[in-house]
Amino acid sequence: MTAYAELAAHFGRISALSNALGVLHWDHAAVMPKGAAETRAESVAQLEVLKHGMLVDARLGDWLDEAEADDGLGAWERANLREIRRIWTVETALPSDLVAASSKATSACEMAWRQARADSDFKSLLPLLTQVLVLQREIGRAKGEKLGLSPYDALLNDYEPGGRSAAIDVAFDDLAAFLPAFTEEALAAQARRPALPALDGPFPVEKQRALGLKMMEALGFDFARGRLDVSTHPFCGGADNDVRITTRYDEADFTSALMGVLHETGHALYEQGRPQAYMSQPVGAARGMSLHESQSLLVEMQACRSREFIGFAAPLMREAFGGSGPAWEPETMWRRYTKVARGFIRVDADEVTYPAHVILRYRLEKALIAGDADLADLPALWANGMRELLGVTPPDDARGCLQDIHWPSGGWGYFPTYTLGAMTAAQLFDSAVRAEPDALPGIARGDFRPLLAWLRENVHEQASLLTTDELLTRATGRPLDAGVFKAHLARRYLDAA
Amino acid sequence: MTAYAELAAHFGRISALSNALGVLHWDHAAVMPKGAAETRAESVAQLEVLKHGMLVDARLGDWLDEAEADDGLGAWERANLREIRRIWTVETALPSDLVAASSKATSACEMAWRQARADSDFKSLLPLLTQVLVLQREIGRAKGEKLGLSPYDALLNDYEPGGRSAAIDVAFDDLAAFLPAFTEEALAAQARRPALPALDGPFPVEKQRALGLKMMEALGFDFARGRLDVSTHPFCGGADNDVRITTRYDEADFTSALMGVLHETGHALYEQGRPQAYMSQPVGAARGMSLHESQSLLVEMQACRSREFIGFAAPLMREAFGGSGPAWEPETMWRRYTKVARGFIRVDADEVTYPAHVILRYRLEKALIAGDADLADLPALWANGMRELLGVTPPDDARGCLQDIHWPSGGWGYFPTYTLGAMTAAQLFDSAVRAEPDALPGIARGDFRPLLAWLRENVHEQASLLTTDELLTRATGRPLDAGVFKAHLARRYLDAA
């Protein structure tokens, strides 16, 4: 066997473990009885230990050196080696006592966070969150040394390979300068229109589910390789060729669960569209979190909150729930689905105000990792940032700096990918509808095939062959450009309002 | 760490893998999308490889020797060592090329069997089934040499530790002499009663499920540590503290799915009742397949086909489906649930004719493994056996020797545990209702707590502390005794008819 073949076989075995873990994770969230929690934790921990052991296998370094010297490899094989080296470098960067200390600190902090959030008491969380932060700095430093990156960029790199804060700063500063005034304008435009009539429920879960399934089918979700289920926190997970999305239903309001299904379907289409030949190899994985989020937001924000899609979907909603009256008119439904409101909570935000929530968190976590901000000042820094970026002041910590699980659970460097994803989505969608003249008319008749064909070719089937920048440049003619996102917002919230 | 502690930790890790495999197996049967089959097969194979590697770990032999010399261990620890040594002995008995050849042969044969059964064509299966048989003989010989057992007893020992064909021969010869005439008598008694009125459906799946859940709750199933789902072939599986049973629904007839749920609940109560302190250790496992089947049959045949239970359940069935008329009367329902009929298919057989199906298979597989019968003669041997034991002649191979998956899939030595289980169930139930005066009255009012308390103490919480014979003798005062089973049949099918 060549060194490349050894590596490919080895990572195929690792993928078999990852797929098992993916199904166990879905099971835990969607169907597992509560009393199984301890048993499950032991199974998952054992599989993680075995997987980690395979990722730091002593033979990998030699295989990599030998395979990288092999000049008979094609582009996919070379890209696979690049990904394997990145994963191996990161996985071997940390001493095992640092991994253990961080795992212990985050699980203690995550537990304390649930209570602190319920009590809206940041101070009680401060000692444990400080431990997490100190360890995250160490992790960032250790990885950064191996990768030649700053600690923050090294953390970011785990979620967004190739992502750099210098570039994010430029894009986010641009948005931060644009959004406050724009939000004012969008709200003013909205205020000139009549109030939205109420949608009277209840909307039975079974009917919501049936409608969600119908929409997933229209979008091109492959049910032979996936499922729709229920969980408290919606996600897209599962395994290769076994892509499982979840939602949660509210019988008083169907609109949010339905749009949640469409959002997760965007993630799922990416996963289902990855190339079969490399499905179990690192190069066959989704490129990074910003591209992943771009696929969910392209479906949700760009395609499914368009007038075209709502024109198709509103009659199906009315039919599904036996609705009648002006609340069910496509134009009214479109206005409901494009409503802008300043709020305190990121996950409830609309696409105009969402970036402010993300920019705030990105700036804070970058400063905290660099030691340029003091964690004890977080509530005040949070309130200042919210006022500056969004013009609101959170009434308490629960609706402020305690609302997200990311920091307590060790997810530092993740936040910027949400808004990078939104910008990427706008840019890809803009190119898709130019390249495929039938993409928008297709959406208007519930036929996503023209759009999906473009996404398959330009994004999904590329998997991790290229860097994110290369992929975007090839697909749209240029690297990430905040201008397309701003133009999209202006068209939807000023011109079209 | 002592050698015992090393072993316990090691088998705890093995248990974590087994639990993951249990959940993946459930997932495969109950919810997995079809297109995930290949991915899943790779995950399962990888976990099996890792588990096997841990079971033949080179350190185990030394740890066992050292721990067995430790005289500070209690009864549970010593029993745990006995189980670990048995598992280790069996797992290391086979050369890896024999394991691989057998795995290849059974998976080819199982696939061919599906087609052969559809075509009712035994001849087409003969070459592949011969390969399986030859390898099973070799496996039996290899294990038997290590264990000091005949090849057949060595195969049986995997399903029924301590089970020996010499003892089974005695019990089964006794039954084989008793059943033909008894079946005649039971059928004659049945023929003297009026015909059973039809139960008119349809019976919607959701209502069947709700009734099944209600019955599971009455039986004491712990839903915080288990689930009820749907699969083509009903089973009880899952993991420690995560016991998942399945059924399949027929909207034209609810009676069989409902009784299937009660049967699997019997298995599940055993799994849920194992001692928490040893849940992840070999000594904490269910004792063997005959005791496992005894728990399902005790619930299904002894408890839930009794007049007492049907008196409680019939009004709930009527209420669930809005039934009316004589078909829903408790006495009629009891007659339906105790109907005797000679048939060709084992899985459709009632408790009077079921042992004939099992005895036939047991005698044939024993002769085939010993080389005392020729596989090519199987259809003729099968037909002769059916005529002798049951008085019917199968019209074709599909309804004859091709009906079961056990032999094609390598499950030789399993069949006798079904009827050993039925006999054990009768004996345990007989002792339970004597020891707990409220057991039968409890069943009549849908309260299984008195019965369950006895089973917990005498069976479930014993796990693998004792051998099957010791457990039965402690619980009932004597080893397995066909007389109790025969007396049960006589009471139900002659006296009570």
Side-chain angles (χ1 to χ4, degrees):
Chain A
M1 257 170 116
T2 66
Y4 179 84
E6 294 278 11
L7 284 168
H10 190 77
F11 276 82
R13 291 188 291 268
I14 291 172
S15 156
L17 286 193
S18 301
N19 284 324
L21 282 163
V23 173
L24 292 179
H25 172 73
W26 169 88
D27 187 275
H28 185 282
V31 297
M32 190 188 82
K34 275 191 179 155
E38 205 180 312
T39 302
R40 178 60 50 85
E42 275 162 26
S43 287
V44 167
Q46 180 60 27
L47 291 184
E48 294 283 10
V49 164
L50 291 166
K51 185 179 158 186
H52 176 74
M54 291 165 83
L55 284 169
V56 300
D57 187 302
R59 298 166 299 179
L60 288 182
D62 290 343
W63 283 340
L64 272 168
D65 291 340
E66 195 180 327
E68 282 164 352
D70 180 348
D71 51 15
L73 299 177
W76 280 89
E77 284 73 23
R78 286 197 310 274
N80 201 25
L81 289 178
R82 181 197 64 211
E83 293 303 307
I84 290 173
R85 183 166 284 282
R86 178 177 61 78
I87 293 166
W88 179 72
T89 304
V90 170
E91 202 76 24
T92 53
L94 305 185
S96 60
D97 57 345
L98 178 53
V99 176
S102 174
S103 161
K104 205 172 146 191
T106 53
S107 73
C109 188
E110 200 182 308
M111 225 151 60
W113 165 75
R114 287 177 208 283
Q115 191 56 49
R117 187 175 62 161
D119 301 341
S120 196
D121 177 8
F122 176 75
K123 274 212 178 102
S124 73
L125 190 66
L126 184 57
L128 287 174
L129 191 57
T130 301
Q131 283 184 25
V132 169
L133 172 59
V134 166
L135 290 163
Q136 286 288 310
R137 276 188 199 134
E138 256 188 77
I139 289 170
R141 203 154 38 220
K143 290 182 177 174
E145 270 171 28
K146 286 263 208 157
L147 297 163
L149 295 175
S150 73
Y152 184 80
D153 277 1
L155 296 172
L156 168 68
N157 198 65
D158 280 348
Y159 307 110
E160 186 58 25
R164 300 292 174 263
S165 50
I168 296 174
D169 286 342
V170 175
F172 281 14
D173 286 351
D174 182 349
L175 279 184
F178 164 83
L179 284 172
F182 180 84
T183 306
E184 287 288 346
E185 278 188 86
L187 285 168
Q190 184 173 277
R192 287 191 292 273
R193 295 180 303 180
L196 279 171
L199 272 174
D200 290 328
F203 308 102
V205 164
E206 265 319 302
K207 290 184 176 174
Q208 292 193 48
R209 175 174 157 81
L211 183 61
L213 290 171
K214 189 186 276 187
M215 299 285 178
M216 287 168 74
E217 190 150 359
L219 263 67
F221 184 92
D222 179 0
F223 285 96
R225 298 188 294 133
R227 297 177 50 90
L228 167 66
D229 296 280
V230 173
S231 72
T232 314
H233 303 286
F235 66 93
C236 169
D240 296 342
N241 292 315
D242 190 359
V243 180
R244 305 182 181 193
I245 69 172
T246 66
T247 189
R248 62 181 159 206
Y249 298 105
D250 173 359
E251 297 214 323
D253 172 19
F254 71 87
T255 59
S256 146
L258 182 61
M259 202 47 83
V261 167
L262 299 172
H263 178 96
E264 300 304 336
T265 299
H267 283 302
L269 292 173
Y270 191 5
E271 288 296 320
Q272 292 189 331
R274 296 186 291 116
Q276 289 295 339
Y278 297 97
M279 192 60 95
S280 70
Q281 293 296 312
V283 73
R287 178 61 282 189
M289 290 320 301
S290 76
L291 262 175
H292 228 309
E293 194 67 11
S294 85
Q295 295 309 288
S296 56
L297 291 175
L298 187 148
V299 167
E300 179 194 347
M301 295 295 178
Q302 301 291 323
C304 294
R305 293 189 197 250
S306 68
R307 272 209 171 83
E308 286 80 1
F309 180 75
I310 302 290
F312 157 75
L316 295 175
M317 297 176 192
R318 178 163 47 199
E319 189 190 313
F321 302 111
S324 65
W328 297 87
E329 289 303 318
E331 180 62 18
T332 317
M333 199 61 84
W334 179 78
R335 282 179 47 216
R336 189 181 307 282
Y337 270 123
T338 54
K339 192 170 179 300
V340 178
R342 290 183 171 120
F344 305 117
I345 305 297
R346 176 183 59 84
V347 296
D348 295 337
D350 56 83
E351 69 175 326
V352 173
T353 57
Y354 201 106
H357 294 272
V358 168
I359 293 168
L360 168 68
R361 287 155 177 77
Y362 165 71
R363 289 175 173 175
L364 289 174
E365 69 179 11
K366 198 160 59 96
L368 287 164
I369 291 289
D372 297 336
D374 187 343
L375 196 57
D377 299 333
L378 186 59
L381 294 169
W382 191 281
N384 289 341
M386 285 296 279
R387 270 191 296 273
E388 181 201 331
L389 289 161
L390 207 51
V392 298
T393 306
D396 50 36
D397 295 341
R399 281 169 284 184
C401 65
L402 287 178
Q403 67 185 272
D404 294 307
I405 196 174
H406 300 57
W407 291 339
S409 69
W412 298 68
Y414 188 99
F415 278 123
T417 66
Y418 291 116
T419 290
L420 294 172
M423 294 161 64
T424 305
Q427 192 165 326
L428 287 170
F429 191 72
D430 179 71
S431 291
V433 299
R434 285 173 207 271
E436 292 277 353
D438 198 30
L440 261 182
I443 291 170
R445 52 178 199 273
D447 175 5
F448 280 75
R449 284 170 299 181
L451 173 64
L452 186 56
W454 190 90
L455 291 173
R456 286 279 189 250
E457 186 184 333
N458 288 280
V459 181
H460 306 173
E461 288 165 5
Q462 300 297 318
S464 289
L465 175 63
L466 310 171
T467 66
T468 303
D469 275 353
E470 286 167 356
L471 184 149
L472 196 60
T473 304
R474 240 191 235 193
T476 72
R478 60 194 183 290
L480 191 60
D481 170 5
V484 188
F485 179 60
K486 292 193 287 186
H488 155 72
L489 293 182
R491 250 193 331 273
R492 177 170 288 174
Y493 295 93
L494 302 183
D495 309 351
Chain B
M1 256 171 117
T2 65
Y4 180 84
E6 295 279 11
L7 284 169
H10 190 76
F11 276 83
R13 291 188 290 268
I14 292 172
S15 157
L17 287 192
S18 300
N19 284 324
L21 282 163
V23 173
L24 292 179
H25 172 73
W26 169 87
D27 186 275
H28 185 281
V31 296
M32 188 188 84
K34 275 192 181 155
E38 205 178 313
T39 302
R40 178 60 52 84
E42 274 161 29
S43 287
V44 167
Q46 179 62 25
L47 291 184
E48 294 282 10
V49 163
L50 292 166
K51 184 179 158 186
H52 175 74
M54 292 165 82
L55 284 169
V56 300
D57 188 302
R59 298 167 298 178
L60 289 182
D62 289 343
W63 282 340
L64 271 169
D65 291 342
E66 197 181 326
E68 282 163 352
D70 179 347
D71 50 15
L73 298 177
W76 280 89
E77 285 72 24
R78 287 198 309 273
N80 201 23
L81 289 178
R82 180 197 63 210
E83 293 304 306
I84 290 174
R85 181 165 287 281
R86 177 177 62 76
I87 292 166
W88 179 72
T89 304
V90 169
E91 202 75 26
T92 53
L94 305 184
S96 60
D97 56 346
L98 177 54
V99 176
S102 174
S103 162
K104 204 172 146 190
T106 53
S107 76
C109 189
E110 200 181 309
M111 224 150 60
W113 165 74
R114 288 178 207 282
Q115 191 56 50
R117 187 175 63 160
D119 302 341
S120 196
D121 178 8
F122 176 75
K123 274 214 177 98
S124 73
L125 190 67
L126 185 57
L128 288 173
L129 192 56
T130 301
Q131 282 182 27
V132 169
L133 172 59
V134 166
L135 291 162
Q136 286 288 310
R137 276 188 200 135
E138 255 186 81
I139 289 171
R141 202 151 40 219
K143 290 182 175 173
E145 269 171 28
K146 286 264 209 156
L147 297 163
L149 295 174
S150 73
Y152 184 80
D153 278 1
L155 295 172
L156 168 69
N157 199 64
D158 280 348
Y159 306 110
E160 185 58 25
R164 300 292 175 261
S165 50
I168 296 174
D169 285 342
V170 174
F172 281 14
D173 287 351
D174 182 349
L175 278 185
F178 164 82
L179 285 172
F182 180 83
T183 306
E184 286 290 345
E185 276 186 87
L187 285 168
Q190 183 172 278
R192 286 191 293 273
R193 295 180 304 180
L196 280 172
L199 272 175
D200 290 328
F203 308 102
V205 164
E206 265 319 302
K207 290 185 177 174
Q208 292 192 47
R209 176 174 155 80
L211 183 60
L213 291 171
K214 188 184 278 188
M215 298 285 179
M216 287 168 74
E217 191 151 359
L219 263 67
F221 184 92
D222 179 0
F223 285 96
R225 298 189 294 135
R227 297 179 48 92
L228 168 66
D229 296 281
V230 172
S231 73
T232 313
H233 303 286
F235 66 94
C236 169
D240 297 341
N241 291 317
D242 189 359
V243 180
R244 306 183 181 194
I245 69 172
T246 66
T247 190
R248 61 181 159 206
Y249 298 104
D250 174 359
E251 297 214 323
D253 172 19
F254 72 87
T255 58
S256 144
L258 182 61
M259 202 48 83
V261 167
L262 298 172
H263 178 98
E264 300 304 336
T265 300
H267 283 303
L269 292 173
Y270 190 5
E271 288 296 322
Q272 293 188 330
R274 295 187 291 115
Q276 289 295 337
Y278 297 97
M279 192 60 95
S280 70
Q281 293 297 310
V283 72
R287 177 59 284 190
M289 290 319 301
S290 75
L291 261 176
H292 228 308
E293 193 68 11
S294 85
Q295 295 310 288
S296 56
L297 292 175
L298 187 149
V299 167
E300 178 194 348
M301 295 296 178
Q302 301 292 322
C304 293
R305 292 190 198 249
S306 68
R307 272 209 170 84
E308 285 80 1
F309 181 75
I310 302 289
F312 157 73
L316 295 176
M317 298 177 192
R318 178 163 47 197
E319 188 191 313
F321 301 112
S324 64
W328 297 86
E329 289 301 319
E331 179 62 18
T332 317
M333 199 61 84
W334 179 78
R335 283 178 47 215
R336 188 181 307 283
Y337 268 123
T338 52
K339 192 171 181 297
V340 178
R342 290 181 170 120
F344 305 117
I345 305 298
R346 176 183 60 84
V347 296
D348 295 338
D350 55 83
E351 68 175 327
V352 174
T353 58
Y354 201 106
H357 294 273
V358 168
I359 293 169
L360 169 68
R361 287 155 177 77
Y362 165 69
R363 289 174 172 175
L364 289 174
E365 69 179 11
K366 198 160 59 98
L368 287 164
I369 291 291
D372 296 337
D374 186 343
L375 196 59
D377 298 333
L378 186 61
L381 295 169
W382 191 282
N384 289 341
M386 285 297 278
R387 268 193 296 273
E388 180 202 330
L389 288 161
L390 207 53
V392 298
T393 306
D396 51 35
D397 293 343
R399 281 169 285 184
C401 64
L402 286 178
Q403 67 185 271
D404 294 307
I405 196 175
H406 301 57
W407 292 339
S409 70
W412 298 67
Y414 187 98
F415 277 123
T417 66
Y418 291 116
T419 290
L420 293 173
M423 293 162 64
T424 305
Q427 192 165 326
L428 288 170
F429 191 71
D430 179 71
S431 291
V433 298
R434 285 174 207 271
E436 291 277 354
D438 198 31
L440 261 182
I443 292 170
R445 52 177 200 271
D447 176 6
F448 280 74
R449 283 171 298 181
L451 174 64
L452 186 56
W454 190 90
L455 290 173
R456 286 278 189 252
E457 186 185 332
N458 288 280
V459 182
H460 306 172
E461 288 166 4
Q462 299 298 318
S464 289
L465 175 64
L466 310 171
T467 66
T468 303
D469 275 353
E470 286 166 357
L471 185 150
L472 196 59
T473 303
R474 243 193 232 190
T476 71
R478 60 193 184 290
L480 191 61
D481 170 6
V484 189
F485 180 59
K486 292 193 286 185
H488 155 71
L489 294 182
R491 249 192 334 272
R492 178 170 288 174
Y493 295 94
L494 303 184
D495 307 351

